[in-house]
């Protein structure tokens, strides 16, 4: 019997985290001339307590409980927002209770990751060149259309059936 699990890297922002909602909230608190309106990921604390993306908790739990996959976070932390990396780690611990303990990679080069799948909403930071299969998730805000896998139900259907 083959006990080798498939490795699944999961992006955070736009996949686990409803980052769009958090950006809207944070931008509403800024003054109209604030430079951070153009670079919201540099807002201090923006990664501390954003909402969970709809379906993410159940989706991750389903993948985890299937015992078919090694689940690992693969996220990018903005270079100009030093607290973002630790804020993201604390957020993961708060919402996913041990599923990702010591299973988090912070990188601007997802093309260097070795695994079977990458669930990501964007092609940036090396996701487009990922050597395994890219599962394009959620809303493509650059092209203003839904990606092939618009929600967690579609991801579960693809990976588990």
């Amino acid at each position: 019997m083959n006990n080798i699990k498939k490795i699944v890297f999961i992006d955070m922002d736009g996949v686990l985290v409803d980052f769009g909602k958090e950006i809207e909230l944070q931008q509403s608190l800024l003054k109209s001339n604030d430079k951070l309106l153009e670079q919201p990921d540099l807002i201090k604390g923006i990664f501390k307590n954003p909402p969970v993306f709809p379906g993410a908790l159940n989706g991750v739990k389903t993948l985890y409980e299937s015992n078919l996959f090694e689940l690992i976070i693969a996220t990018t932390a903005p270079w100009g927002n030093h607290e973002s990396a630790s804020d993201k780690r604390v957020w993961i611990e708060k919402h996913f209770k041990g599923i990702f303990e010591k299973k988090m990679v912070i990188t601007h080069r997802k093309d260097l990751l070795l695994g079977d799948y990458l669930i990501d909403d964007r092609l940036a930071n090396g996701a487009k060149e990922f050597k395994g299969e890219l599962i394009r998730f959620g809303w493509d805000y650059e092209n203003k259309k839904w990606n092939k896998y618009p929600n967690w139900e579609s991801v579960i259907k693809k990976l588990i059936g």
Side-chain angles (χ1 to χ4, degrees):
M1 185 169 171
N2 186 357
N3 290 336
I4 298 174
K5 294 181 180 182
K6 299 271 187 182
I7 296 173
V8 179
F9 289 101
I10 306 173
D11 179 46
M12 285 184 68
D13 306 324
V15 178
L16 296 178
V17 174
D18 195 339
F19 197 54
K21 281 206 176 47
E22 187 65 17
I23 287 173
E24 288 174 16
L25 171 68
Q26 294 294 330
Q27 286 180 331
S28 71
L29 302 174
L30 296 172
K31 295 178 181 168
S32 61
N33 64 346
D34 197 314
K35 293 177 187 174
L36 292 174
L37 287 170
E38 297 300 316
Q39 292 183 296
D41 59 342
L42 297 180
I43 297 170
K44 299 276 187 237
I46 196 165
F47 297 100
K48 276 190 177 179
N49 201 28
V52 177
F53 198 92
L57 291 171
N58 286 335
V60 167
K61 184 178 177 186
T62 300
L63 292 176
Y64 181 74
E65 290 177 351
S66 77
N67 207 31
L68 298 171
F69 307 102
E70 181 75 27
L71 304 177
I72 303 169
I73 296 295
T75 190
T76 301
W79 203 254
N81 186 347
H82 303 117
E83 295 84 11
S84 63
S86 58
D87 288 346
K88 286 181 174 217
R89 178 180 165 205
V90 169
W91 188 92
I92 285 293
E93 290 172 1
K94 175 181 176 182
H95 294 284
F96 291 93
K97 313 270 190 276
I99 290 175
F100 296 107
E101 187 173 336
K102 297 185 180 180
K103 295 179 182 179
M104 181 176 184
V105 177
I106 297 175
T107 183
H108 290 263
R109 294 287 312 273
K110 293 178 183 176
D111 56 312
L112 299 178
L113 299 172
L114 299 175
D116 299 287
Y117 301 100
L118 168 62
I119 304 170
D120 207 320
D121 61 321
R122 300 176 59 210
L123 298 175
N125 300 311
K128 184 177 181 179
E129 293 82 20
F130 177 71
K131 304 294 186 285
E133 184 176 345
L134 174 62
I135 297 176
R136 209 54 209 282
F137 181 85
W139 178 252
D140 179 349
Y141 67 88
E142 293 160 326
N143 295 306
K144 309 287 189 252
K145 65 178 184 122
W146 289 101
N147 286 314
K148 184 174 180 181
Y149 300 94
N151 54 43
W152 273 96
E153 289 175 1
S154 62
V155 171
I156 297 305
K157 186 175 181 181
K158 176 184 178 33
L159 292 176
I160 297 178

